[in-house]
Amino acid sequence: MDVSGLVDTATGRQSRAIYSSEELYRQELERIFGRCWLFLVHTSQIPEAGDYFRTFMGEDDVIVIRQKDGTIKAFLNSCTHRGNRICRSDRGNAKAFTCNYHGWSFAPDGSLSAVPLEKEAYFGELDRSRLGLVPVAHVAEYKGLVFGCFDADPPSLEDYLGDAKFFLDVWLDAMPGGTSLVGETQKMVLASNWKLPVENVCGDGYHLGWAHAGAMRAVQSLDLAGLSVGNSSTDLDGGLSVAGLNGHMALTSLDGVSGYAFYPKPKPMLDYLEFNRPQVIERLGKVRGEQLWGSQINITIFPNLQFLPGLNWFRVYHPKGPGQIEQWTWAMVENDMPAEIQAAILDNQCLTFGLAGLFDNDDGDNLAACTEQSRGWRTAQMDVFTNMALNRSGPREGFPGDIAAGLVSEHNQRYFYRRWQEHMQADNWAGVPTYNINSVVAEETIDA
Ligand code: FES
Ligand SMILES: [Fe+2]
């Protein structure tokens, strides 16, 4: 389906049909979720051989398994006999995956290892070598984050992430011990189109002082770029909206501490930041060590991975039709953090952006209602707008990307819908443009 008229990046207009059309949704499964690198698992979640973790790539159910040699493989969670789900638990350790229906058994490397009555019922004519689990075409890791890709010929994961690595490393590589996801997967079903929470977190600082005003009053302990008491006090110098990173985005404050703005007792975290900042500056350079590490940063990896260093939540959105998602959230910690800080992070993540989190409930209601208001015969013909601060972006020294000043802008959302449109229009990766605008990665990095 031609989507050229459904999104106009130049004016910041989107048709509401993109949130409700079943036809467009099927096209998204093919051209976005079937083509892009998608987050599968953090290496900390499957440390040992035989450890597995079940997730989704689009609507495809996938098992990610640590192999004997330490590598990670992923397979469709579907029996090659008659299609049944072969793994029904969320995670664990297994020597084999045996299908509930007729008992075919698959080894962790995906091979079909046993078939009941193979000789008697198949007369020895079954070619087991052709009936292994279907592998995900590509699996690759970036500093603990494991991604999979169904496309036969995608860009490398490194190239796909591009300059977004500048921001990813503020969390993944600030401290030598790396990171872990802690706690179990917090799953929430929400009656929202998948694009709405992604564009909310990727760039919508606008709603923060309004939709979350009550929550912020209840838990905020530090100022967040002037957003603490409503939109009227917004400080455009207090943050950046960064896009133009191959479809990825960052929304960041620049004070080096406000990631901990929503902690009832931020002092232990602030002490941790202060104590370790010199070595982070050494690893990542001054811009990131002083201005970004410890700041509130919303990082979006297109299409459906988001994490917020500072608030320390990590989330993927699994689409379940045009009007529904499963939102999976974890708390993310640096392994060098003392245990009591890690525990406080998990607590605070649940308090703010968890199943009963103050902020998540504000957002969920708005996102579900925006989705519902795109489903009617008449409303589906209407448009919505992300036209704030049009044509007010540019480079900024020390940072990659096309940057608009401030946390309150719709700059990032326009880039998100631009990327969506680029993928939806392209037949394959060759038709998808690559852009790392104002690339500066490396100058100050340890791995330059
Ligand atoms: S469907 Fe799995 S063994 Fe038959
Ligand atoms: Fe929100």
Side-chain angles (χ1 to χ4, degrees):
M1 183 174 174
D2 178 15
V3 302
S4 57
L6 300 182
V7 168
D8 183 356
T9 307
T11 59
R13 178 187 63 77
Q14 299 90 48
S15 162
R16 296 192 196 196
I18 70 173
Y19 308 116
S20 57
S21 158
E22 190 68 44
E23 187 183 353
L24 285 172
Y25 176 70
R26 297 308 304 182
Q27 193 167 326
E28 288 175 336
L29 290 183
E30 176 205 332
R31 296 194 167 194
I32 294 177
F33 293 93
R35 179 186 294 157
C36 294
W37 284 95
L38 303 174
F39 174 75
L40 299 178
V41 72
H42 190 287
T43 50
S44 62
Q45 294 174 302
I46 48 169
E48 307 294 336
D51 284 353
Y52 67 87
F53 190 89
R54 251 184 79 204
T55 186
F56 289 90
M57 295 175 67
E59 291 213 36
D60 285 297
D61 193 334
V62 162
I63 323 171
V64 192
I65 311 168
R66 176 79 72 173
Q67 304 293 301
K68 273 193 195 138
D69 65 2
T71 60
I72 293 171
K73 290 185 175 167
F75 304 95
L76 292 182
N77 184 16
S78 180
C79 183
T80 50
H81 178 220
R82 297 261 285 282
N84 191 21
R85 183 179 290 126
I86 58 151
C87 177
R88 288 166 186 252
S89 52
D90 291 344
R91 63 196 293 189
N93 183 283
K95 293 195 170 54
F97 298 89
T98 303
C99 181
N100 269 5
Y101 200 175
H102 313 95
W104 284 23
S105 197
F106 300 86
D109 67 359
S111 59
L112 177 56
S113 51
V115 172
L117 303 176
E118 184 175 2
K119 255 194 211 137
E120 298 83 345
Y122 284 100
F123 305 99
E125 291 167 359
L126 192 73
D127 184 357
R128 279 206 257 138
S129 69
R130 299 165 66 90
L131 290 164
L133 294 176
V134 172
V136 173
H138 302 276
V139 175
E141 180 199 335
Y142 183 74
K143 298 186 181 179
L145 308 190
V146 180
F147 292 77
C149 183
F150 282 132
D151 194 89
D153 191 21
S156 70
L157 177 61
E158 290 267 342
D159 287 348
Y160 180 82
L161 296 174
D163 277 348
K165 289 180 285 192
F166 178 89
F167 295 97
L168 287 174
D169 288 355
V170 172
W171 190 229
L172 300 177
D173 208 7
M175 293 291 286
T179 60
S180 294
L181 296 186
V182 295
E184 285 304 320
T185 311
Q186 301 162 43
K187 298 183 179 180
M188 179 156 77
V189 174
L190 192 61
S192 169
N193 180 270
W194 69 272
K195 295 184 287 302
L196 289 167
V198 178
E199 63 117 298
N200 168 276
V201 173
C202 87
D204 200 317
Y206 193 28
H207 81 296
L208 208 55
W210 186 260
H212 296 308
M216 285 175 76
R217 270 190 203 106
V219 299
Q220 191 173 14
S221 57
L222 301 169
D223 188 30
L224 177 56
L227 281 170
S228 52
V229 288
N231 294 341
S232 59
S233 67
T234 295
D235 170 9
L236 285 182
D237 295 325
L240 302 175
S241 298
V242 186
L245 310 170
N246 267 351
H248 315 306
M249 269 90 43
L251 184 70
T252 179
S253 58
L254 298 167
D255 51 31
V257 293
S258 61
Y260 295 94
F262 301 109
Y263 285 72
K265 292 184 189 145
K267 187 160 185 318
M269 291 76 171
L270 299 179
D271 289 346
Y272 170 81
L273 291 173
E274 196 181 333
F275 182 78
N276 290 294
R277 197 174 299 281
Q279 67 161 315
V280 175
I281 292 171
E282 207 164 295
R283 291 174 71 81
L284 299 181
K286 268 186 132 184
V287 168
R288 290 184 290 176
E290 285 179 357
Q291 295 184 67
L292 298 187
W293 192 62
S295 283
Q296 171 64 54
I297 314 179
N298 298 17
I299 296 174
T300 299
I301 300 302
F302 190 91
N304 66 336
L305 170 66
Q306 298 192 304
F307 63 112
L308 275 67
L311 269 174
N312 300 325
W313 61 255
F314 187 98
R315 175 173 288 174
V316 287
Y317 306 91
H318 298 303
K320 304 285 176 189
Q324 189 156 301
I325 53 170
E326 260 187 44
Q327 178 175 292
W328 291 11
T329 308
W330 301 268
M332 197 169 189
V333 298
E334 284 168 348
N335 294 327
D336 293 308
M337 287 170 162
E340 55 274 22
I341 292 189
Q342 295 190 357
I345 282 174
L346 182 57
D347 266 6
N348 195 67
Q349 177 260 306
C350 294
L351 173 71
T352 54
F353 289 89
L355 299 179
L358 293 168
F359 289 76
D360 260 345
N361 284 292
D362 296 336
D363 288 328
D365 199 42
N366 288 323
L367 301 176
C370 289
T371 300
E372 200 174 347
Q373 300 314 322
S374 67
R375 262 210 308 267
W377 170 77
R378 183 65 184 86
T379 49
Q381 299 171 52
M382 292 173 67
D383 292 325
V384 286
F385 298 95
T386 50
N387 56 359
M388 186 188 292
L390 266 174
N391 304 317
R392 288 174 186 272
S393 61
R396 177 169 172 132
E397 203 183 337
F399 291 83
D402 182 16
I403 297 179
L407 296 177
V408 178
S409 161
E410 286 167 341
H411 171 69
N412 286 6
Q413 291 98 315
R414 287 192 290 280
Y415 265 99
F416 172 72
Y417 287 113
R418 168 179 163 175
R419 195 60 169 173
W420 178 87
Q421 189 177 45
E422 287 165 350
H423 273 290
M424 292 289 276
Q425 289 291 79
D427 292 330
N428 50 46
W429 267 111
V432 180
T434 295
Y435 40 81
N436 286 302
I437 295 171
N438 304 318
S439 184
V440 296
V441 176
E443 254 157 275
E444 292 188 289
T445 61
I446 50 167
D447 49 0

